[in-house]
Amino acid sequence: MTHTTAVLSRDPAAPFSVEPIELDAPRDDEILVRIVAAGICHTDLVNRVIGKADRPILLGHEGAGVVDAVGGAVTSVAPGDHVVLTFRRCGACPNCAAGRPAYCRNSTALNHFGRRADKSVRITAGGAPVRDGFFGQSSFAGYALATEDNTVVVDPAVDPAVAAAFGCGFQTGAGAVLNALRPSAGSWLAIYGAGAVGSAALLAARTVPGVRTVVVETTAARRDLARELGADAVVDPGAEDTVATIRDLTGGGAAHAVDTTGLPAVLGDAFTALDIGGTVVAVGLGAGIPPIDVRDMVLQGKTVRGCLEGDAEPATFIPRLLDLHSRGLLPVDRLVARFPHTDIAAALAAQRTGTVIKPVLTW
């Protein structure tokens, strides 16, 4: 049994609480990780409001830390390894076999809240079960239980507070560009939303020589940061017609676009602002039907596609991104702000106001 502190949600309408918890010892296929840092992602906040039943819940799916202990069946990870925790996948379904683990057919069961297969409890607070297992880690705690399929060993020299968000947010934005769109020199890429995912997409685009970028963002501070990070142009959608502006800027339309907002109207604008043969990738989880002209799609050969977790194979893609960072080519540290986990309220407030791009909790 391991004792630590965790950030729990007992009521979606109430503040998070910092409480002591107890973790069960790792089973044969489990890995006990001492969490050093955990990024706060929009997905955590969305899943916090799943209802008042079956509380408290333990969120967190961008954990980074050091392996403390492993179960007897674990072979690819050892105590002392520095790791980043990411999403789970079964490894056996057709999509996993095809190298597309983000689209694992068993993803829902593996990444949503849930107990072990035998229904045994992993974590308790005050003797009562905690609803955990989020993305196979629930890393808003000083320790987390993970498995080999969502644990990526990284260089010990990497700052865990910077590495944490590669488990989801940075991986998603960078992968949308490098894995899904693969822009070439001379092409224009439009990025809608300059939060953590959009900013990671911008930085990833800057690693491809000759790609030009335009960022559409409502918040002035984030537009300013996008300029500092290398955006060739920024657009305020509250002051400009984004479609007309991008078409004029690019000489007819962007070859590529990434929508991080999840807003149907924004996705529709991104599609309309594409050049002939252009592609927009949607990574933001939203709801509704975007206004897309089918004639425009057919006659101009445009494409709209979704992209989950950056179409990444984390075991290879996360080290690739961290290598780019270590060489100064992917300065995501500019996006990170550290907060002690006891100050989660301050972290969330800074994220809401836009003064912080990626808040990271530390233990």
Side-chain angles (χ1 to χ4, degrees):
M1 186 75 70
T2 300
H3 299 265
T4 187
T5 56
V7 176
L8 300 180
S9 176
R10 291 190 172 273
D11 183 333
F16 283 94
S17 57
V18 179
E19 303 180 33
I21 61 168
E22 303 80 38
L23 284 83
D24 194 12
R27 298 286 177 88
D28 273 357
D29 62 342
E30 292 176 338
I31 301 164
L32 180 66
V33 178
R34 177 174 59 82
I35 297 297
V36 178
I40 299 176
C41 180
H42 181 67
T43 303
D44 292 307
L45 306 182
V46 169
N47 281 272
R48 186 190 177 194
V49 295
I50 58 172
K52 294 187 177 181
D54 199 9
R55 295 273 167 167
I57 62 173
L58 179 56
L59 294 154
H61 66 287
E62 293 182 342
V66 181
V67 175
D68 189 79
V70 301
V74 174
T75 60
S76 63
V77 181
D81 283 345
H82 290 236
V83 296
V84 169
L85 303 182
T86 185
F87 61 90
R88 290 205 64 192
R89 62 309 195 35
C90 74
C93 73
N95 287 335
C96 286
R100 305 181 75 231
Y103 307 100
C104 172
R105 292 187 177 180
N106 297 297
S107 177
T108 298
L110 292 171
N111 288 289
H112 284 206
F113 297 102
R115 293 185 181 180
R116 292 172 170 129
D118 64 1
K119 306 302 180 185
S120 61
V121 176
R122 283 178 291 247
I123 300 176
T124 57
V130 171
R131 193 175 188 194
D132 72 321
F134 192 54
F135 278 65
Q137 55 181 280
S138 283
S139 50
F140 280 178
Y143 284 84
L145 285 168
T147 48
E148 285 183 286
D149 59 284
N150 72 329
T151 303
V152 179
V153 178
V154 299
D155 189 332
V158 176
D159 180 351
V162 173
F166 283 100
C168 182
F170 293 166
Q171 175 174 237
T172 296
V177 174
L178 300 179
N179 295 332
L181 289 172
R182 303 189 181 205
S184 57
S187 62
W188 275 97
L189 166 67
I191 299 168
Y192 294 79
V197 174
S199 296
L202 169 62
L203 291 173
R206 302 298 297 168
T207 69
V208 184
V211 173
R212 293 172 290 180
T213 54
V214 53
V215 173
V216 180
E217 170 57 48
T218 58
T219 305
R222 291 186 173 183
R223 290 196 300 273
D224 291 342
L225 179 60
R227 287 191 189 93
E228 293 177 23
L229 295 177
D232 293 282
V234 297
V235 177
D236 177 0
E240 302 176 66
D241 180 331
T242 60
V243 173
T245 299
I246 290 174
R247 280 179 168 171
D248 182 63
L249 174 71
T250 60
H256 314 281
V258 176
D259 172 46
T260 71
T261 71
L263 301 173
V266 175
L267 182 56
D269 284 349
F271 175 83
T272 305
L274 288 174
D275 197 0
I276 295 171
T279 298
V280 55
V281 167
V283 301
L285 290 175
I289 301 172
I292 290 175
D293 189 331
V294 176
R295 283 179 57 84
D296 197 14
M297 178 184 289
V298 175
L299 296 178
Q300 297 195 32
K302 296 182 181 181
T303 301
V304 181
R305 59 152 298 186
C307 178
L308 189 62
E309 295 289 356
D311 278 9
E313 169 48 72
T316 56
F317 193 55
I318 289 176
R320 174 187 169 190
L321 295 178
L322 288 171
D323 177 64
L324 288 171
H325 174 260
S326 71
R327 291 190 281 137
L329 301 176
L330 196 72
V332 292
D333 49 290
R334 295 283 307 278
L335 310 176
V336 171
R338 298 163 174 78
F339 294 84
H341 68 279
T342 51
D343 288 345
I344 186 170
L348 293 174
Q351 186 182 46
R352 280 193 300 269
T353 61
T355 56
V356 165
I357 301 295
K358 170 56 72 171
V360 175
L361 302 179
T362 61
W363 272 262

